[in-house]
Amino acid sequence: MKLFRDLDRLSPGSAESLRWALAVAATPKDARILDAGCGTGADLATLNAAAPQGEIVALDIEPDFIGRVRARYPKIAAHIGDMTDPPAGPYDLIWSSGAVYNVGITAALTAWRPHLAEGGRVAFSDLRARSDNPPAEVREFWAEVDLQLRSTADLEQEIAAAGYRLLDARWVGPAGWASYYGPIEVELDGFTAAPELIAHLKSEIALWRSHGVNYGARLVVVAPE
């Protein structure tokens, strides 16, 4: 985990795309917000700025990541734990950047529902196909890490099946991917451990550069029915 522990962002995203989600969710200034699967805390400053009179709670299953969060943001409550079993709510917003795939959309949305305040919202990003028939190279790469590249229509069906309605959706732009992959490349230059991981990450970045138009991080804001 050392490679990732030293990174600020562990999934594609940006402050701009997060601010869009916060606006769609109509997140109040005094909101209580959960960052589920917070990683090393890439989005905590933006969340904190959006709710200056509220409370931000960070949650991740990886102790090293939470250790980094606590060092960076000592005033934010940071917990080690499963994202489907968050600290007691209620939350006005549950945010998750690129982490829902670890447990599945149905499991996450079902687990989070009892923790939402009245009128609460969930916003998350998830890898999805941007074209009807992504190249075989793209499908095969993600299948090797047990991730089936499904469509945005499938995503919307999963949301509805979990008892939520879609408020709005958009793609995380190229800048969000660059802010994720750029620092990884810098770290890889001096990283000698875990050669298989290094090779995989280099292949993943090369795939994005050659085929990134065929897939992306779909950002959605949803509300319980």
Side-chain angles (χ1 to χ4, degrees):
M1 284 294 173
K2 183 180 184 301
L3 170 67
F4 299 102
R5 183 190 63 208
D6 295 337
L7 295 171
D8 289 336
R9 181 167 290 283
L10 303 185
S11 63
S14 65
E16 180 273 329
S17 60
L18 175 52
R19 285 193 292 267
W20 173 87
L22 289 162
V24 172
T27 307
K29 298 291 186 183
D30 61 350
R32 191 160 191 259
I33 301 174
L34 172 67
D35 188 345
C38 64
T40 56
D43 295 319
L44 293 175
T46 303
L47 294 172
N48 203 39
Q53 295 141 30
E55 180 186 6
I56 313 301
V57 178
L59 175 66
D60 201 281
I61 201 166
E62 175 52 52
D64 281 352
F65 295 168
I66 292 299
R68 179 100 190 277
V69 168
R70 288 170 177 165
R72 295 174 72 187
Y73 303 102
K75 294 183 179 180
I76 288 178
H79 302 268
I80 300 168
D82 190 318
M83 64 191 300
T84 61
D85 186 22
Y91 298 101
D92 299 290
L93 177 72
I94 296 178
W95 162 251
S96 186
S97 176
V100 170
Y101 82 94
N102 288 295
V103 297
I105 289 171
T106 300
L109 291 180
T110 301
W112 291 339
R113 187 166 189 156
H115 297 276
L116 287 173
E118 184 175 354
R121 304 287 188 256
V122 174
F124 66 91
S125 59
D126 193 53
L127 189 71
R128 293 284 153 166
R130 296 190 70 155
S131 57
D132 291 336
N133 295 295
E137 180 181 355
V138 172
R139 297 195 306 271
E140 290 167 4
F141 178 88
W142 292 113
E144 287 175 2
V145 292
D146 296 324
L147 199 158
Q148 182 183 1
L149 194 60
R150 304 180 69 185
S151 69
T152 57
D154 289 331
L155 173 60
E156 293 177 15
Q157 289 175 4
E158 291 173 74
I159 290 167
Y164 286 72
R165 69 183 187 278
L166 179 67
L167 300 180
D168 207 347
R170 57 165 278 188
W171 296 102
V172 171
W177 285 84
S179 69
Y180 169 50
Y181 283 144
I184 288 179
E185 286 189 300
V186 172
E187 289 293 323
L188 287 178
D189 284 342
F191 194 76
T192 57
E196 290 185 4
L197 173 62
I198 293 172
H200 174 81
L201 288 171
K202 288 183 175 179
S203 296
E204 182 178 326
I205 294 169
L207 183 78
W208 173 67
R209 290 202 168 114
S210 60
H211 294 295
V213 295
N214 292 287
Y215 61 93
R218 190 66 167 170
L219 177 57
V220 298
V221 182
V222 303
E225 290 285 8

